[in-house]
Amino acid sequence: DIQMTQSPSTLSASVGDRVTITCRASQSFSNWLAWYQQKPGNAPQLLIYKTSILARGVPSRFSGSGAGTEFTLTISSLQPDDFATYYCHQYNTYSHTFGQGTKLEIK
Amino acid sequence: EVLLLESGGGLVQPGGSLRLSCAASGFHFTTYAMSWVRQAPGKGLEWVSGISGSGTSTSYADSVKGRITISRDNSRDTLYLQMSSLRPEDTAIYFCAKDGGGGRPYADNPGELGSWGPGTQVTVSS
């Protein structure tokens, strides 16, 4: 299985900041990577798929990039609604895997 | 509107069995691969299993292989997860999720998870 290592585990930031979350894969793969946002008590919501394509209704301040073993999620200007936990997800193989999550906290 | 609603969770003793269901509506169920994802208390997401739209192809995480079976009834628009030999570490919220339709490397395996149900709680404890 491909292991996904997400960093940082926790990120403290302020409204208006630009933040980046990274996922590193244990082996190189193509662009079959997604990002999700989860708020406490709720199911995750898809933000980005195929590395860089925004899901419907997702604000343009979210963006994704990467290739090979390193993938990133960037939020260009944090809004109050963005404080949540974020997960990467590889679906390049039959057995999918998630990163361990990044909790984005208000500084 | 896509709706997914899980049911069948509850308290079960170690070694016991449970069958989860996920009722789907708002889309052509047969067309889409589906997945189960779980989340242990205070922990991250863990992909559990996936199934093709036809139901003929399935995949499992190593942690559940041999103990869990995914299936679907396309005539009832329902996804299932049969769990046996349950362990305390299987305690989690179990979510069903629909393939997002954004493409995938294998036609018979789910891609990104575009829609999720609210989840059902499974607790394995004596």
Side-chain angles (χ1 to χ4, degrees):
Chain A
D1 290 357
I2 298 176
Q3 307 305 315
M4 303 299 296
T5 302
Q6 202 170 322
S7 61
S9 298
T10 307
L11 180 56
S12 297
S14 302
V15 172
D17 284 354
R18 178 185 179 91
V19 299
T20 297
I21 298 169
T22 300
C23 253
R24 289 186 173 84
S26 59
Q27 62 189 77
S28 178
F29 62 89
S30 188
N31 56 357
W32 305 109
L33 184 110
W35 292 94
Y36 303 85
Q37 178 193 70
Q38 187 180 32
K39 296 181 179 179
N42 291 328
Q45 287 191 303
L46 177 66
L47 293 175
I48 288 171
Y49 62 96
K50 215 171 175 182
T51 297
S52 61
I53 302 175
L54 253 59
R56 188 174 300 176
V58 175
S60 59
R61 62 181 179 273
F62 290 91
S63 64
S65 64
T69 61
E70 187 162 318
F71 299 85
T72 59
L73 171 70
T74 299
I75 309 173
S76 61
S77 178
L78 275 173
Q79 299 302 302
D81 191 49
D82 299 338
F83 292 95
T85 301
Y86 294 84
Y87 295 92
C88 63
H89 161 221
Q90 72 78 19
Y91 49 102
N92 183 73
T93 56
Y94 271 88
S95 183
H96 299 196
T97 46
F98 286 92
Q100 72 269 36
T102 294
K103 186 176 183 179
L104 181 52
E105 299 179 329
I106 300 174
K107 186 185 287 184
Chain B
E1 180 192 7
V2 172
L3 287 176
L4 300 169
L5 185 62
E6 304 89 343
S7 61
L11 175 63
V12 61
Q13 292 191 337
S17 299
L18 209 57
R19 188 178 83 156
L20 306 183
S21 300
C22 172
S25 62
F27 63 101
H28 191 234
F29 186 65
T30 304
T31 301
Y32 291 90
M34 300 289 293
S35 294
W36 287 97
V37 175
R38 69 184 181 183
Q39 187 167 36
K43 302 297 184 183
L45 302 174
E46 181 185 14
W47 182 86
V48 173
S49 183
I51 188 168
S52 61
S54 66
T56 56
S57 176
T58 58
S59 51
Y60 299 93
D62 287 345
S63 59
V64 303
K65 208 170 286 184
R67 301 187 299 117
I68 283 181
T69 302
I70 190 172
S71 63
R72 61 193 296 161
D73 184 341
N74 287 344
S75 69
R76 297 178 182 268
D77 291 353
T78 303
L79 175 72
Y80 300 103
L81 192 70
Q82 178 68 48
M83 303 188 293
S84 60
S85 302
L86 283 163
R87 307 166 179 167
E89 55 264 38
D90 295 317
T91 295
I93 297 173
Y94 285 72
F95 299 99
C96 69
K98 168 189 168 289
D99 180 271
R104 53 201 186 276
Y106 305 101
D108 59 351
N109 202 48
E112 80 281 0
L113 307 175
S115 302
W116 298 61
T120 187
Q121 175 71 49
V122 171
T123 302
V124 184
S125 174
S126 55

